[in-house]
Amino acid sequence: MIKLLKNWLLVLLLLAGGCSTPVPTPPIDPASLAALVWPKAPEQARIRYLQSVAGAQDWGIERTWLQRLGDALMGTSAQQFVRPSAVAEAAGVLYVADPGAQSLWILDRPNKRVTQLKEIGGAALVSPVALALRADGAVFVADTALAKVFLLGRDGTLLREFATQGLERPAALAWSEAARRLYVLDSKRHRITVFDGNGALLRHMGESGRGPGQFNHPTHMALAADGTLLVTDALNFRIQALSQRGDFLWKFGHQGNGSGDFAAPKGVAVDANGHYYVVDALFDVVQIFDQSGQLLLAFGERGEQPGQLTLPRGLFISAEDKVYVADAYNQRVQVFQGVIATAKEPTK
C-alpha cells in the first residue's frame, strides 16, 4: 500500500511539473545566441552557432507524457548523451557514437524515433567511437574495444560485420560511395585497412613512422568530395592527405601552442569549398586551414556555454556545410553553420 501511494505521489509531482527533462546547457537569451559568430564584429561573420544537442528533445523529438511517466516510474534516466565521440547527420537523422553510454544513438527526426543501441548482433557495445554514412542511410560504427566494425540499417538492424581481418583498434571510418570501399583507420597498427562493400579485405595502407604516408597513432579520418583521404596523424601532429590507393599527396601541421599549431588533433573534415577543419582537444577549438596549412579561422574556446568546448573529439560537415562537433566532456553535440567560403584573407 505504501509503495502504491509513493507511486501515485510521484505521478502527481510529474504531472504538476509537466514531466519535463532538464536541459544541461545553461539558458542564454536568444539575442546572445544569435550573436555567437566567428570572427567577431566588425569583421564579416563566417561561422555561426546554431544549437546544442544533448539528447532527443534538443533534436526536436519529444517523448509523450505517457512515455516520460513510464520512465519516471521505472527509474529510467533521461535519454541524454554521456560522452559523445563521433557524430554524423543526413536528412534529419542524427547518429552519435557515445562510448560514455556504451551506445550508438540514432535520432530520426522525420520519423520521430529514438534508437539507443547498446548491443549489436548479440555483442554488447563497449567503446563505439567512429561513424561513416552510406548514401542510403545505413551507418558504419566502429568499436575499438571489440575491434569490430558493424554496418547497420537506418533503423539500427545489423546488415554486416567487419571483424576478423586483423583489426586491433579501429578508431575512424570513411566510406567511398563511388568506389564502394570502406576505409578503417587502425590506430594501434598505424595503418588503414580497406574493405569492399561486401566486407572482403582488399589491402592495408600505411605503416608506423614519421615519413610521408606513415603514421604515429592516427585517430581520425575523413573523405573529401574529390576522393582524398584525410588522416589525423595524431602523434606526428599533422594532417596527411592520401589517394584512395594510399599514395601520399600532401600534409600540413606541427606541434606547438600557438594559432595554427596542434597539441591534440582529433576530428578532421572538409567543407564544400575545400577548407579543412581540425578539432584540437587540448586547445578546445576547431581550426580551419587551406591546403597549404595556412590558418584561416579558429572558433570555440574552453568552457561549458554554447560555442565553448571541453575536450572535443569528432567532427562532421554535412552537405549544407553544417559543422557538427562532438563536445565530449560537455555531453553534447554542437552545431554550427559554416560560411567560410567567402573568406579572402587569413583571420587569426
Side-chain angles (χ1 to χ4, degrees), residues 40-56:
K40 303 300 182 185
E43 296 185 67
Q44 180 181 351
R46 311 210 185 269
I47 298 290
R48 184 177 302 278
Y49 170 86
L50 294 180
Q51 69 175 123
S52 294
V53 182

Side-chain angles (χ1 to χ4, degrees), residues 47-287:
I47 298 290
R48 184 177 302 278
Y49 170 86
L50 294 180
Q51 69 175 123
S52 294
V53 182
Q57 183 174 337
D58 296 332
W59 194 242
I61 304 175
E62 293 284 350
R63 292 173 64 78
T64 67
W65 73 269
L66 193 57
Q67 288 173 322
R68 285 179 279 160
L69 179 59
D71 290 344
L73 292 176
M74 296 298 294
T76 305
S77 60
Q79 291 185 311
Q80 302 282 321
F81 306 149
V82 177
R83 195 174 72 251
S85 180
V87 57
E89 185 274 337
V93 183
L94 186 71
Y95 305 82
V96 178
D98 186 350
Q102 297 181 310
S103 300
L104 169 68
W105 301 87
I106 304 177
L107 307 186
D108 188 340
R109 186 164 54 201
N111 293 306
K112 300 187 181 303
R113 183 174 61 216
V114 180
T115 304
Q116 182 185 4
L117 291 177
K118 285 185 166 289
E119 66 174 47
I120 299 174
L125 293 175
V126 180
S127 185
V129 298
L131 301 170
L133 295 182
R134 284 195 334 195
D136 61 0
V139 60
F140 298 93
V141 56
D143 190 303
T144 55
L146 297 178
K148 292 182 178 181
V149 177
F150 304 97
L151 173 62
L152 308 176
R154 178 170 168 162
D155 61 354
T157 57
L158 177 63
L159 302 179
R160 188 167 293 117
E161 184 177 305
F162 304 72
T164 60
Q165 291 90 344
L167 296 176
E168 285 198 52
R169 191 176 296 161
L173 303 169
W175 167 254
S176 171
E177 197 72 37
R180 308 296 293 179
R181 297 289 184 265
L182 176 67
Y183 299 85
V184 182
L185 186 65
D186 193 324
S187 182
K188 190 171 183 178
R189 291 200 168 191
H190 315 280
R191 70 187 185 189
I192 298 169
T193 298
V194 187
F195 300 92
D196 71 13
N198 296 317
L201 173 65
L202 298 178
R203 62 186 179 277
H204 303 292
M205 307 189 311
E207 60 184 358
S208 178
R210 297 182 177 275
Q214 297 178 325
F215 305 111
N216 187 3
H217 292 285
T219 60
H220 291 77
M221 183 169 55
L223 186 67
D226 64 0
T228 300
L229 281 168
L230 305 169
V231 180
T232 302
D233 188 8
L235 293 188
N236 282 329
F237 302 96
R238 63 189 181 187
I239 300 298
Q240 289 202 70
L242 307 178
S243 74
Q244 291 188 38
R245 297 188 307 272
D247 302 318
F248 171 79
L249 300 176
W250 47 264
K251 62 181 174 67
F252 67 78
H254 57 268
Q255 186 178 18
N257 58 9
S259 296
D261 297 337
F262 292 144
K266 298 293 183 184
V268 61
V270 58
D271 68 15
N273 294 281
H275 300 103
Y276 301 93
Y277 294 58
V278 184
V279 170
D280 197 294
L282 286 186
F283 292 155
D284 297 303
V285 299
V286 180
Q287 299 187 103

